[in-house]
Amino acid sequence: KAGVTQTPRYLIKTRGQQVTLSCSPISGHRSVSWYQQTPGQGLQFLFEYFSETQRNKGNFPGRFSGRQFSNSRSEMNVSTLELGDSALYLCASSLHSITPGTDTQYFGPGTRLTVL
Amino acid sequence: GQQLNQSPQSMFIQEGEDVSMNCTSSSIFNTWLWYKQDPGEGPVLLIALYKAGELTSNGRLTAQFGITRKDSFLNISASIPSDVGIYFCAGPSDGNTGKLIFGQGTTLQVKP
């Protein structure tokens, strides 16, 4: 079974631009969560989508948004990029994120975003 | 808010040695997860624990879900160079399995 895939793997943008990152979950997984990883803050939760609905949201500004499609694929968007948005953005999928034992999150390789 | 305190922050050991790291919290967790991350890659799940007191092995790795549900331990036996990486503990935030919180990570270096 193919794992979680993320595209693109690397991205360079300049301040003020916007960016869209894509995530394809493991086949059959319906929950997709996004995380930001930086050396200073570690791994921080952005948001989670399940059945095309945002179910949880972390403490990030409104510039960070996401969506999920009917095939469970998800995208996240960051508008008006700032230097501090440079990070590894990770996507994780799980079956349905409710029942213990079926809620384990599996991560993709991440998208490395550099903002200049 | 909830926090996971992971220790040690880093370890530099000789190949063949055993390694032990732990994760503690002031809150109760119903699930404990251990991940390993290599540079430039996403975290890879090593062991998942769902029951207090549970002891689970995955090859040379053994993890335990603490009885108090506020801690977990990961042991690596007979370390090898490919064990190098960052190890993270994680658990569902406020019981919400879609939202993980992570420890700060333990960086492991193995000297051949």
Side-chain angles (χ1 to χ4, degrees):
Chain A
K1 200 183 242 190
V4 178
T5 57
Q6 291 187 245
T7 55
R9 289 293 309 274
Y10 302 93
L11 208 47
I12 299 176
K13 292 284 188 180
T14 55
R15 277 182 300 175
Q17 286 188 309
Q18 76 164 15
V19 67
T20 299
L21 312 180
S22 182
C23 171
S24 292
I26 292 171
S27 178
H29 284 195
R30 295 170 63 193
S31 168
V32 174
S33 298
W34 288 89
Y35 297 83
Q36 181 196 64
Q37 185 175 28
T38 59
Q41 299 298 318
L43 278 147
Q44 292 188 290
F45 173 79
L46 281 157
F47 27 65
E48 181 213 2
Y49 286 86
F50 178 74
S51 290
E52 303 177 65
T53 302
Q54 187 181 85
R55 190 153 62 175
N56 287 290
K57 191 175 188 307
N59 296 324
F60 280 81
R63 300 185 296 108
F64 292 82
S65 63
R67 59 177 176 168
Q68 187 180 33
F69 302 94
S70 58
N71 61 359
S72 293
R73 191 177 70 83
S74 177
E75 288 181 347
M76 69 162 280
N77 184 276
V78 188
S79 62
T80 321
L81 284 166
E82 300 177 359
L83 295 178
D85 296 333
S86 293
L88 182 66
Y89 289 87
L90 293 159
C91 160
S93 76
S94 66
L95 270 173
H96 56 64
S97 186
I98 296 176
T99 307
T102 62
D103 54 359
T104 307
Q105 293 190 23
Y106 297 89
F107 284 81
T111 293
R112 171 73 62 185
L113 172 65
T114 301
V115 182
L116 302 175
Chain B
Q2 287 182 306
Q3 276 189 315
L4 292 181
N5 299 307
Q6 193 172 343
S7 65
Q9 200 168 2
S10 63
M11 302 179 77
F12 190 87
I13 61 169
Q14 197 80 28
E15 183 178 358
E17 288 183 350
D18 295 345
V19 171
S20 187
M21 59 191 79
N22 72 320
C23 202
T24 61
S25 172
S26 56
S27 310
I28 287 173
F29 281 82
N30 293 319
T31 299
W32 284 95
L33 305 169
W34 285 93
Y35 290 91
K36 181 193 176 202
Q37 186 176 29
D38 292 328
E41 298 295 329
V44 173
L45 180 69
L46 298 174
I47 293 179
L49 302 160
Y50 299 104
K51 198 173 170 183
E54 180 181 358
L55 185 72
T56 297
S57 294
N58 178 7
R60 294 177 296 105
L61 277 60
T62 301
Q64 184 160 25
F65 192 140
I67 290 290
T68 65
R69 293 161 67 190
K70 293 183 178 181
D71 58 8
S72 179
F73 303 86
L74 176 69
N75 295 316
I76 306 173
S77 62
S79 58
I80 58 178
S82 62
D83 290 333
V84 165
I86 305 177
Y87 292 79
F88 292 98
C89 61
S93 176
D94 297 318
N96 190 325
T97 54
K99 179 180 176 181
L100 294 178
I101 62 170
F102 285 82
Q104 307 95 316
T106 295
T107 300
L108 178 64
Q109 293 178 287
V110 179
K111 185 177 177 183

